[in-house]
Amino acid sequence: YEHINTYRVIDHNSSVEIILLYATYNFRWEFRRDYKKDNDGISGRAAFTQFKKVCQDFGVDIDSFRVSSDDGQKIKTTIPRAILDVDKKILDCTFENVHHIDIHSAYMAGIADTFPLLYKPIEYIYSRRKEPGKSATYKAILTHSFGYMQSEYSPVRYQLSHLSKAAMVWCRNQIISLTNKLIATGHKILMRNTDGIWYQGEIYHGEGEGNCLGQWENDHTNCQYRAKSVGCYEYIENGIYTPVARGKYELDKIKPREEWEWGDIYYTGQAIQYFYNSTTEKLEKESE
């Protein structure tokens, strides 16, 4: 320790960062979950940098949308939570004739709808999200930029929080509107998961349905469905079984997800979670 000038531990909501100044060297470690594989490990900063570049190509300066960090921090506190709920009466029950509605790139669509100057660059990114060689980058922009805009620990530093708020408010309003329409047409709502809805009944078709940015579609139809909780459920579509369990579990150690079978969501074991213990200054398992 005699050569350590200083060190700092920053406990973020979803990660722990350690900064160490040692003699003439600086070190930084970040303990966090892996970036989603389908985005090829592209971080929020990299996604936002690419978004900024696309905006420039359309003659739009994203920095011109910034507010002060103080104002942005205040706005961040007013951002509503995503709608994530399940009808507790249906838990552990098996349902047939179940479908899922998904809103296309709901968060960035909300920003595009609220700030028309950003519509064209966002629509350009959305329309090319499946383009070979660019798909991972464009998908990351659509999924990661929204969170980076409101981050405290980025160069943006809250200054685009109002864009993040617009994204969340718009998405919530769309889910609420679709919920009301489904109920009004006699459908049963089973679960709402951020930008989508699981429901039972005849396949719903209506206003706003389509493949464009911000429109919605039935991305899963005629499923057998069962939920253990809002973050853990399973369904069979066209004979293919899919488990959805947020996080990692003990079962993952011995049985890959692609080998899970109907009912395995009830035998996952304990969730594998770590937290930063400020007393011991160590990363520890939740179970310990």
Side-chain angles (χ1 to χ4, degrees), residues 32 35 39-54 125 134 136-149 153-156:
R32 56 172 298 153
Y35 296 123
N39 286 327
D40 288 348
I42 298 172
S43 67
R45 174 175 293 190
F48 180 79
T49 299
Q50 289 300 313
F51 176 55
K52 184 174 181 179
K53 183 178 179 181
V54 173
I125 293 166
K134 282 287 188 179
T137 298
Y138 287 153
K139 286 180 181 178
I141 292 173
L142 295 170
T143 57
H144 292 6
S145 296
F146 140 82
Y148 186 81
M149 292 173 183
Y153 304 103
S154 73
V156 175

Side-chain angles (χ1 to χ4, degrees), residues 62-76 115 149 155-163:
I62 191 67
D63 289 330
S64 67
F65 287 83
R66 293 195 184 198
V67 299
S68 70
S69 291
D70 288 341
D71 288 342
Q73 187 173 9
K74 293 176 183 177
I75 292 171
K76 181 178 173 68
F115 301 93
M149 292 173 183
V156 175
R157 192 166 173 75
Y158 299 125
Q159 293 175 350
L160 294 174
S161 289
H162 54 302
L163 271 65

Side-chain angles (χ1 to χ4, degrees), residues 228 250-251 262-269:
K228 177 182 177 183
E250 291 177 344
L251 183 60
W262 184 261
D264 275 351
I265 62 170
Y266 290 91
Y267 306 101
T268 55

Side-chain angles (χ1 to χ4, degrees), residues 18-62:
I18 299 175
I19 300 173
L20 173 67
L21 304 183
Y22 179 82
T24 59
Y25 297 93
N26 298 332
F27 300 89
R28 177 177 176 268
W29 295 270
E30 188 176 28
F31 299 88
R32 56 172 298 153
R33 61 180 297 178
D34 290 339
Y35 296 123
K36 290 184 178 180
K37 293 180 180 179
D38 57 359
N39 286 327
D40 288 348
I42 298 172
S43 67
R45 174 175 293 190
F48 180 79
T49 299
Q50 289 300 313
F51 176 55
K52 184 174 181 179
K53 183 178 179 181
V54 173
C55 287
Q56 290 173 342
D57 292 341
F58 280 83
V60 178
D61 180 11
I62 191 67

Side-chain angles (χ1 to χ4, degrees), residues 104-122:
H104 299 303
S105 298
Y107 287 149
M108 292 301 279
I111 293 175
D113 184 73
T114 309
F115 301 93
L117 281 177
L118 295 175
Y119 181 86
K120 286 186 176 180
I122 292 175

Side-chain angles (χ1 to χ4, degrees), residues 10 30 34 55 94 121 129 149 201 225 237 239 251 266 276 281:
I10 305 174
E30 188 176 28
D34 290 339
C55 287
T94 300
R129 70 195 186 285
M149 292 173 183
Y225 170 94
E237 181 180 14
L251 183 60
Y266 290 91
Y276 175 69
E281 295 187 333

Side-chain angles (χ1 to χ4, degrees), residues 1-270:
Y1 286 97
E2 64 270 17
H3 299 296
I4 296 179
N5 295 331
T6 185
Y7 76 96
R8 182 184 180 192
V9 177
I10 305 174
D11 186 7
H12 305 305
N13 289 332
S14 59
S15 64
V16 176
E17 183 178 343
I18 299 175
I19 300 173
L20 173 67
L21 304 183
Y22 179 82
T24 59
Y25 297 93
N26 298 332
F27 300 89
R28 177 177 176 268
W29 295 270
E30 188 176 28
F31 299 88
R32 56 172 298 153
R33 61 180 297 178
D34 290 339
Y35 296 123
K36 290 184 178 180
K37 293 180 180 179
D38 57 359
N39 286 327
D40 288 348
I42 298 172
S43 67
R45 174 175 293 190
F48 180 79
T49 299
Q50 289 300 313
F51 176 55
K52 184 174 181 179
K53 183 178 179 181
V54 173
C55 287
Q56 290 173 342
D57 292 341
F58 280 83
V60 178
D61 180 11
I62 191 67
D63 289 330
S64 67
F65 287 83
R66 293 195 184 198
V67 299
S68 70
S69 291
D70 288 341
D71 288 342
Q73 187 173 9
K74 293 176 183 177
I75 292 171
K76 181 178 173 68
T77 63
T78 67
I79 297 177
R81 290 182 176 274
I83 295 177
L84 189 64
D85 54 27
V86 62
D87 182 351
K88 293 183 179 180
K89 295 178 181 178
I90 66 97
L91 293 180
D92 306 323
C93 298
T94 300
F95 292 85
E96 306 288 344
N97 194 32
V98 175
H99 325 285
H100 183 261
I101 283 178
D102 175 72
I103 302 174
H104 299 303
S105 298
Y107 287 149
M108 292 301 279
I111 293 175
D113 184 73
T114 309
F115 301 93
L117 281 177
L118 295 175
Y119 181 86
K120 286 186 176 180
I122 292 175
E123 197 280 332
Y124 173 87
I125 293 166
Y126 174 79
S127 66
R128 287 162 176 77
R129 70 195 186 285
K130 297 181 181 180
E131 186 177 288
K134 282 287 188 179
S135 61
T137 298
Y138 287 153
K139 286 180 181 178
I141 292 173
L142 295 170
T143 57
H144 292 6
S145 296
F146 140 82
Y148 186 81
M149 292 173 183
Q150 58 176 299
S151 174
E152 173 188 1
Y153 304 103
S154 73
V156 175
R157 192 166 173 75
Y158 299 125
Q159 293 175 350
L160 294 174
S161 289
H162 54 302
L163 271 65
S164 295
K165 181 177 180 178
M168 185 65 78
V169 169
W170 188 90
C171 180
R172 284 177 55 91
N173 288 341
Q174 299 306 305
I175 291 297
I176 292 171
S177 176
L178 281 167
T179 298
N180 293 336
K181 290 176 181 177
L182 286 166
I183 293 174
T185 50
H187 294 83
K188 181 178 181 62
I189 305 297
L190 301 178
M191 178 188 292
R192 300 187 294 180
N193 51 342
T194 305
D195 58 355
I197 302 174
W198 284 99
Y199 69 97
Q200 184 187 43
E202 296 299 315
I203 298 176
Y204 176 75
H205 299 285
E207 182 182 0
E209 184 175 10
N211 296 318
C212 298
L213 175 70
Q215 292 185 320
W216 58 268
E217 70 171 347
N218 289 283
D219 59 341
H220 299 293
T221 57
N222 301 313
C223 300
Q224 180 180 335
Y225 170 94
R226 180 168 60 176
K228 177 182 177 183
S229 67
V230 71
C232 188
Y233 57 94
E234 58 188 352
Y235 63 92
I236 297 176
E237 181 180 14
N238 296 324
I240 300 175
Y241 172 73
T242 301
V244 178
R246 294 169 180 258
K248 294 292 183 181
Y249 296 82
E250 291 177 344
L251 183 60
D252 286 308
K253 294 180 179 180
I254 58 175
K255 193 174 185 180
R257 291 281 173 103
E258 56 268 22
E259 295 181 10
W260 285 21
E261 300 174 300
W262 184 261
D264 275 351
I265 62 170
Y266 290 91
Y267 306 101
T268 55
Q270 293 294 319

